[in-house]
Amino acid sequence: MATAELASERESDYLSQLTMAAARYANRTERREKNQSVLETRGPLYADAPERVEKRLARLGADWALVRAIERTPTEPASSAGSTLRLPPETFTSDVLGLERLIGRNNLTPVAFLEKGVQVSRSVGRITISGPGGGHGTGFMVSPSLLLTNNHVLRGTEEASRSTVAFAFQDGSDGSPLLPAVFQLEPLRFFVSDRALDYSLVAVAPRGVQGETLSSFGRLVLSEAEGKVVVGEFVNIIQHPRGEPKQVALRENQIVDVLERFLHYESDTREGSSGSAVFNDQWEVVALHHSAVPKTDAEGRPLSVDGTVWRPEMGEQQLAWRANEGVRISRVLRALHEAPLTGEAARLRDEVFTTGLTPPPTESSPPMPSAHGESPRPGTDGSRAQAPEQTHVAFGTAQLTIPLRLTLGFDTASSAQAAPLASLPALTPVPKAAPQPPGRMGVVSAVEKDVDAALVNHRLTQERPYYVRTADIAARDAYYANVGTDDGDALRRTLTTLLTETHEPRPRYKPMRLVYPWVDLHKDGRLRSIYSGKDFSAEELIRADAAVAEARLAQVQELLLQESTAGPAEFEAEFDALEASLPFNCEHVVPQSWFAKEEPMRGDLHHLFACEAGCNSFRGNFPYFDFPDFEETVRDACGMRESTGFEPRDGKGAVARATLYFLLRYPGRVGDAAREFPEDRLPVLLRWHESEAVTEYELHRNAAIAEIQGNRNPLIDHPEWARGIDFAGVWP
């Protein structure tokens, strides 16, 4: 084909892309204007669909149950919240709650943001098409061998075969140009393209023309998961506009609309930017930039900057821009999944989807199947659950199955994060200079992500009223509206049914994510050990538990390596010893060993309290006991412990009410084994309950927990019911 014909065909393709983008943009005018109005008045939590916002917050590590509870109006019952955000803008705004840091509403950004941006930029290169119809575009590595760009940049194998990609075509930190590393494209080895989604995926030679290794420029890990961006967030675009050295459009690029297959955003991109990666503030790829949205006349024709109808011969620099459009990366990946490939091509395609180890399931995920393909069978409230023959074990972000009746979990953030880039060697400056030290991106562990999420949760709560009595009384009265005046066994059964049916959702055991940031706070914003009264900041216990989790993880990995030489019984004994030696700063007032560490008991917030590790270990799994000479005896700062039981120095009323709640909520679960709470200890709990009145701290806890997991503690709401309830039926 003649040069003029090739150029004309390329111009026709480009004009077609512009026209379709402009039409999509015009068709969404009403939706986009509504989005903008909501953004200006209420913020990005409300501009997008609630389910998309939910996924976004979950991906950022904010526990949705907590966010939803915080944003509910104080008088709104938990059951009415559903999945709709109900934050009144005149009372609580996204700025007050701190969500501005999560979704780009705060320009104070950690320095690590820039460091990671430098790292991901290494995988972005300038594409040069030589010969007839040539030009420039942008592309980025998405696997060890494959480069992603637009279909209108590389339309076929013939064009790609005479194209190269140059990495490090940019200026160094001193302003001097770096030496680009140029690699030949190899479409005969792999080439997949889709005109409708405007993407092309092509193989790159493993060695550059000067012998450089392609692997030294890394890759961008792509994710099909939704929740990477919502309307109102700002994105970042690394690009080679007009074929110039690498540049970045940083943060002031707002998403204005989300379509089924495309994103619309306002940003600074120019010709040559086609094929650029569009990133969120966590430097995850959210879209493949493919077209500007031009201003058009009444007939839909693109306009030039002087208001006349634009013609290709005017050049792209004369187009009048309105916005930009990118193809959602999840849709590109979906199409790539469906591409009919076999053999080596299929293997190369599959490398795009290799992101590392599988993340653990979240609360919203279905149960993990057992080795026989069946979901683990939960126990009823009246009987103990049967453990599967093989138990799912999750630590960090790894999961495996071992032949044990033991569940071990290091819970991580509720969504998968993109795998970090490996350490990459320094780029080469021109002229020659002293070698730069290898760059190194810190590997953020799953535990560190939990810490970040916990601190986010704590930030979300800081401006919320600690306890609103009138609202809580209204919620309490509504909760028990159908509870009759009967007492004895009838009242017990009614309360057990109510507590069970309203216990939704059922959060897993994550004290650093829910207990420390909000539930267990005292009015001064600090935590106090339930047994000793010693106080801590929330961040102090969050970070302390994180250190314990990391230490456990390291030792568990060692145990798993030894599993082949140690049987299940030995493994379980070693793990129990490990847990005892490295306890979290969170106390289960009903010890975990009494209910085999099963959920939902393990994560039930009503019986979880902050407690320094020393007191946690000191109490162990001893049942509560009332020592006659307690006040006169020299005892540990946590309380007194003998073979008969444990009596705490502080918090007796609170732990008594929490234990009584547990007995009502889970009848038959404790008391049938040695050292578990026996029925003859019930008078101890009742005495402690009556001798220490319900405090505002407990009222706050009860209200906060009700907002998160739906049910309440009747002994806090109605202390007078304690003597009227026949607890006999709660023991096996």
Side-chain angles (χ1 to χ4, degrees), residues 58-79:
R59 192 169 184 84
L60 289 167
D63 289 278
W64 180 248
L66 182 58
V67 172
R68 186 179 62 182
I70 291 167
E71 295 188 349
R72 190 156 50 240
T73 61
T75 57
E76 180 186 356
S79 60

Side-chain angles (χ1 to χ4, degrees), residues 536-575:
F536 305 87
S537 70
E539 183 171 355
E540 189 175 359
L541 287 197
I542 288 168
R543 295 195 182 280
D545 272 14
V548 170
E550 289 181 335
R552 282 190 182 184
L553 174 59
Q555 294 191 36
V556 165
Q557 289 172 321
E558 293 182 8
L559 288 178
L560 292 175
L561 292 175
Q562 300 168 8
E563 196 268 328
S564 59
T565 58
E570 291 83 359
F571 186 100
E572 188 166 359
E574 288 193 47
F575 180 69

Side-chain angles (χ1 to χ4, degrees), residues 38-74:
V38 175
L39 285 173
E40 292 172 356
T41 57
R42 304 191 72 186
L45 285 178
Y46 303 94
D48 216 325
E51 59 272 16
R52 284 182 51 79
V53 177
E54 176 176 350
K55 291 176 181 177
R56 182 66 178 134
L57 292 174
R59 192 169 184 84
L60 289 167
D63 289 278
W64 180 248
L66 182 58
V67 172
R68 186 179 62 182
I70 291 167
E71 295 188 349
R72 190 156 50 240
T73 61

